[in-house]
């Protein structure tokens, strides 16, 4: 099994699979069509936002008059929350508070970051895409998310990894083990028995602190 780092995600609207590079444009075509067909009197402003961490991504549609805290909560639910650490948004030139409105911060082409946990920090990047006038109600709609990346077992190199050892490293990255080989690793690594065995999950916080997976969108969380 080759390490498959090519990142792909399904479109929320038509359920077709696209690469990380293509999905943004594809979603924009749906959104532009929906904007054209909108009912003028009840349409409200929505912001299309891409969230990135290396090959992992989320595409969100967020209500313009929602507060940034709504995005913070969503990121914690799907990707980040382990044990109630602090979090903050940031930009190199200005402050982003949790009470700012999404439409005021997430202008097209703006790039900000979000830090979760100021000790073992997980930083992800948010990119503002277009705004649309739409007849939607929800504050956050998940338009796409990368499918779980295929990480091969460090021992047998055949099976997909189910666990990692946060104490042992293979080429600077954690060591990864399939169900079978994790039993072998238990015999040679004391830490693995104690505390360093963690599940492989579809999140940039995989392997950090006590992170064991999200609270929403669980079927794409990648826990085997
Ligand atoms: Zn589509
Ligand atoms: Zn934690
Ligand atoms: Zn294996
Ligand atoms: Zn180990």
């Amino acid at each position: 099994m080759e390490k498959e780092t090519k990142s792909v995600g399904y479109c929320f609207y038509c359920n077709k699979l696209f690469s990380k590079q293509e999905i943004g444009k594809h979603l924009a075509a749906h959104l532009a069509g929906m904007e054209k067909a909108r009912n003028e009197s009840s349409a409200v402003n929505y912001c299309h936002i891409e969230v990135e961490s290396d090959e992992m991504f989320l595409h969100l549609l967020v209500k313009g008059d929602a507060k940034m805290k709504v995005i913070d909560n969503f990121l914690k639910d799907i990707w980040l929350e382990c044990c109630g650490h602090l979090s903050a948004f940031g930009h190199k030139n200005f402050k982003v508070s949790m009470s700012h409105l999404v439409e005021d911060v997430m202008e097209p082409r703006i790039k900000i970051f979000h830090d979760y946990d100021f000790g073992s920090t997980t930083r992800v990047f948010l990119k503002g895409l277009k705004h649309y006038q739409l007849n939607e109600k929800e504050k956050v709609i998940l338009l796409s998310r990368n499918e779980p990346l295929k990480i091969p077992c460090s021992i047998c190199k055949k099976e997909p990894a189910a666990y990692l050892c946060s104490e042992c490293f293979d080429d600077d990255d954690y060591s990864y083990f399939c169900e079978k080989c994790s039993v072998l690793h238990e015999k040679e690594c004391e830490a693995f028995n104690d505390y360093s065995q963690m599940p492989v999950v579809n999140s940039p916080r995989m392997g950090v602190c006590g992170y064991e997976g999200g609270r929403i969108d669980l079927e794409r969380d990648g826990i085997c």
Side-chain angles (χ1 to χ4, degrees), residues 83-102:
C83 34
H85 304 281
L86 295 174
S87 59
F89 290 101
H91 182 277
K92 57 184 189 298
N93 298 327
F94 55 85
K95 281 204 164 146
V96 181
S97 115
M98 290 290 174
S99 56
H100 280 153
L101 299 188
V102 172

Side-chain angles (χ1 to χ4, degrees), residues 27-89:
L27 289 166
H30 281 293
L31 294 167
M34 287 159 60
E35 184 174 53
K36 258 193 192 153
R38 75 188 182 273
N39 173 351
E40 197 79 51
S41 61
S42 62
V44 292
N45 194 36
Y46 271 84
C47 308
H48 180 191
I49 298 166
E50 181 180 11
V51 192
E52 265 187 306
S53 173
D54 295 325
E55 61 263 50
M56 292 181 186
F57 67 84
L58 306 171
H59 275 268
L60 308 179
L61 190 63
V62 187
K63 207 172 187 186
D65 66 0
K67 296 195 168 133
M68 289 301 286
K69 182 75 194 158
V70 164
I71 300 179
D72 176 59
N73 285 337
F74 188 86
L75 293 177
K76 285 177 181 166
D77 284 347
I78 196 165
W79 260 3
L80 301 171
E81 181 70 73
C82 50
C83 34
H85 304 281
L86 295 174
S87 59
F89 290 101

Side-chain angles (χ1 to χ4, degrees), residues 82-85 116-117 205 209-210:
C82 50
C83 34
H85 304 281
Y116 176 75
D117 181 2
R205 198 153 173 83
C209 193

Side-chain angles (χ1 to χ4, degrees), residues 191-204:
F192 197 63
N193 284 311
D194 255 11
Y195 60 87
S196 66
Q197 173 171 3
M198 304 188 65
V200 167
V201 287
N202 191 9
S203 151

Side-chain angles (χ1 to χ4, degrees), residues 79-147:
W79 260 3
L80 301 171
E81 181 70 73
C82 50
C83 34
H85 304 281
L86 295 174
S87 59
F89 290 101
H91 182 277
K92 57 184 189 298
N93 298 327
F94 55 85
K95 281 204 164 146
V96 181
S97 115
M98 290 290 174
S99 56
H100 280 153
L101 299 188
V102 172
E103 62 198 2
D104 293 340
V105 176
M106 299 311 298
E107 293 284 354
R109 286 186 296 279
I110 194 96
K111 204 171 176 189
I112 65 169
F113 57 83
H114 177 272
D115 285 342
Y116 176 75
D117 181 2
F118 302 133
S120 305
T121 306
T122 299
R123 175 168 287 190
V124 303
F125 294 91
L126 291 84
K127 202 160 69 182
L129 301 171
K130 268 192 172 175
H131 293 188
Y132 300 87
Q133 307 302 311
L134 300 170
N135 303 111
E136 295 288 346
K137 289 200 171 65
E138 284 132 289
K139 284 190 175 162
V140 183
I141 300 169
L142 179 59
L143 298 178
S144 188
R145 175 188 191 178
N146 68 280
E147 290 299 300

